[in-house]
Amino acid sequence: MNISFNVPPFVGDEIKYITKAIKNFKISGDGEFTKKCNSWLEKNFSAQKILLTTSGTSALDMAMLLCKFQRGDEVILPSYTFSSTATSILVGGATPVFVDIRPDTMNIDENKIEAAITKKTRAIAVVHYAGVSCEMDTIMDIARRHNLKVIEDAAQGVMSTYKGKFLGTIGDFGCYSFHETKNYSMGEGGALVINNSAYNERAEILREKGTNRSKFFRGQIDKYTWVDVGDSYLPSELNAAYLWAQLQKADEINNNRLSTWQKYYDAFKPLADAGKFEIPTVPPECKHNGHMFYLKLKDLDERTKFINHMKSNGVSCVFHYVPLHSAPAGRKYCRFHGEDIFTTAESERLARLPMYYGLTDDDLKYVTNAVLNFFK
Ligand SMILES: *Cc1c(COP(=O)(O)O)cnc(C)c1O
């Protein structure tokens, strides 16, 4: 037996669309497929503007650059996240300030944000861990009262909702990832959601190496020029063509993952109720996307034994994240506000089970049995 932790999604039409991009003689950015993906995402998520990017990280970088931070400005975020959430704040010129997470969803604890706000705070970067939304009403209310921007790291939250609103469309900016480990993929890629049209033009400029080329292609100006800072954030059409095939099957992929997630949940609920381990919590106002299924074991020692047990049964289970405030760059560039009650302790207990589009029922049963055997 050999069950991978992740298999990149593939629905079948990817090659057809990539061939079409090649035959269009348009393999650089912003051709037919990039435009199709942008409008599909805008329409289906009711967003005013969405731009494909080269990664979730570059979408985060763009969002932070659009905030125009000054040196010394601070951005509040959880420490339990991927490094990109913090590196983008550094790229944007501000200082990351960590606060603790909630143990139930592993998301930023909305009740610890306000105490971390100083005269220099400019934004809150929330991470919708496992595609389960943060407590956005509370967070948006804090942001409004303190005049802060909200950046949603929705890398894992494509298709998830909070009170009926798609993640990424609630704050000022939303950032999606289409990395091969995410629900929808284009190899490496992502998208920036812009929820205020005042930022549309500068976003296009940042994405096109600091030039107003997008305006030129629309025929709004007769030559394009260098006007601002920027980088190359637009992906190749070849990648966009791969994603287009996946977006066409977005509901199928979502339903398939949700069904796998639910089967894990049902299989493990009795043992979770008996206190053997914990399983994910999804608050009633959140609809998730089956991005991840994890167990939280007693402690680091039990998790190590569990992952080794699964490995000896041919099942690959992984853990993450080493809290950013304890990493070398975190210690150098960031600070943690308040007490780390849950971030480190909870992160050391968490193990992720194989979860991907197309995981077969047989494989799922095999994984489930291997888990149950460990607790016998
Ligand atoms: C995957 C991920 C990212 C980075 O996305 P890339 O497309 O790999 O750059 C950022 N934040 C979170 C929470 C992620 O899971």
Side-chain angles (χ1 to χ4, degrees):
M1 217 8 125
N2 185 3
I3 300 178
S4 307
F5 168 69
N6 178 59
V7 174
F10 180 76
V11 296
D13 285 336
E14 287 87 346
I15 293 161
K16 184 173 91 192
Y17 294 136
I18 289 171
T19 307
K20 175 91 193 307
I22 295 167
K23 290 190 174 153
N24 284 349
F25 297 109
K26 176 66 183 167
I27 58 173
S28 65
D30 280 344
E32 174 191 350
F33 290 104
T34 305
K35 285 179 189 151
K36 277 187 158 131
C37 291
N38 290 344
S39 6
W40 188 97
L41 292 164
E42 285 165 5
K43 190 163 149 278
N44 283 273
F45 298 168
S46 306
Q48 75 86 28
K49 190 88 185 155
I50 300 189
L51 297 170
L52 284 195
T53 59
T54 44
S55 65
T57 306
S58 57
L60 283 161
D61 287 352
M62 282 183 73
M64 299 301 172
L65 289 169
L66 286 169
C67 289
K68 282 205 163 176
F69 299 128
Q70 306 286 312
R71 209 183 166 75
D73 285 352
E74 297 174 349
V75 180
I76 295 169
L77 76 162
S79 172
Y80 184 71
T81 180
F82 192 61
S83 56
S84 304
T85 327
T87 54
S88 64
I89 295 168
L90 296 175
V91 166
T95 302
V97 175
F98 300 118
V99 298
D100 210 4
I101 54 166
R102 306 164 33 152
D104 60 345
T105 56
M106 304 297 283
N107 282 334
I108 191 166
D109 187 339
E110 65 279 4
N111 296 315
K112 302 222 171 115
I113 292 172
E114 212 150 6
I117 296 175
T118 69
K119 284 205 289 281
K120 292 174 166 181
T121 308
R122 296 289 174 266
I124 308 168
V126 301
V127 180
H128 302 300
Y129 182 70
V132 176
S133 180
C134 298
E135 210 330 88
M136 290 311 287
D137 276 356
T138 308
I139 292 165
M140 294 311 289
D141 177 61
I142 295 170
R144 229 169 277 126
R145 284 189 285 106
H146 295 271
N147 195 24
L148 307 176
K149 296 264 184 300
V150 173
I151 298 100
E152 297 179 71
D153 181 340
Q156 304 175 8
V158 180
M159 293 283 275
S160 296
T161 58
Y162 170 83
K163 297 190 177 173
K165 282 191 197 145
F166 283 91
L167 302 192
T169 68
I170 303 165
D172 294 272
F173 302 105
C175 306
Y176 298 143
S177 170
F178 300 119
H179 186 259
E180 72 169 30
T181 53
K182 300 304 200 292
N183 291 25
Y184 307 91
S185 186
M186 52 195 278
E188 300 275 358
L192 175 68
V193 188
I194 305 164
N195 297 318
N196 175 347
S197 61
Y199 292 95
N200 291 1
E201 187 172 336
R202 185 151 190 263
E204 285 181 346
I205 291 167
L206 287 176
R207 187 167 167 268
E208 272 278 32
K209 304 95 181 167
T211 74
N212 52 10
R213 184 151 68 174
S214 300
K215 241 178 158 173
F216 170 71
F217 282 139
R218 279 197 302 267
Q220 293 168 332
I221 44 176
D222 56 16
K223 64 178 190 313
Y224 76 86
T225 184
W226 176 36
V227 292
D228 202 338
V229 297
D231 209 320
S232 184
Y233 295 124
L234 77 164
S236 154
E237 275 289 287
L238 300 175
N239 299 60
Y242 193 99
L243 181 65
W244 178 242
Q246 313 237 317
L247 294 181
Q248 302 288 94
K249 300 262 170 79
D251 286 327
E252 183 185 318
I253 293 175
N254 201 40
N255 292 336
N256 179 275
R257 295 188 75 112
L258 285 171
S259 144
T260 299
W261 192 97
Q262 194 61 44
K263 284 172 192 162
Y264 276 144
Y265 189 90
D266 295 342
F268 301 138
K269 184 82 169 58
L271 282 187
D273 287 343
K276 294 272 188 197
F277 49 70
E278 286 165 44
I279 51 179
T281 303
V282 181
E285 55 278 6
C286 305
K287 271 210 183 110
H288 72 104
N289 57 1
H291 176 64
M292 194 191 297
F293 197 93
Y294 59 81
L295 302 178
K296 283 204 282 183
L297 299 116
K298 197 161 79 240
D299 52 23
L300 179 58
D301 182 51
E302 192 184 55
R303 181 180 74 180
T304 307
K305 289 187 179 123
F306 172 76
I307 290 177
N308 288 337
H309 161 86
M310 297 302 282
K311 196 174 166 198
S312 67
N313 282 278
V315 181
S316 168
C317 292
V318 303
F319 66 83
H320 73 177
Y321 301 106
V322 175
L324 296 183
H325 70 283
S326 53
R331 289 203 302 268
K332 198 162 160 191
Y333 299 119
C334 315
R335 66 184 171 81
F336 195 103
H337 183 276
E339 208 185 327
D340 168 10
I341 301 172
F342 296 114
T343 301
T344 302
E346 298 298 297
S347 72
E348 288 180 345
R349 307 203 286 134
L350 186 140
R352 303 166 64 186
L353 302 184
M355 167 62 87
Y356 50 85
Y357 168 66
L359 181 70
T360 65
D361 270 346
D362 283 351
D363 284 357
L364 187 125
K365 275 195 196 107
Y366 182 87
V367 174
T368 305
N369 283 332
V371 173
L372 297 178
N373 284 336
F374 179 79
F375 291 98
K376 266 206 184 123

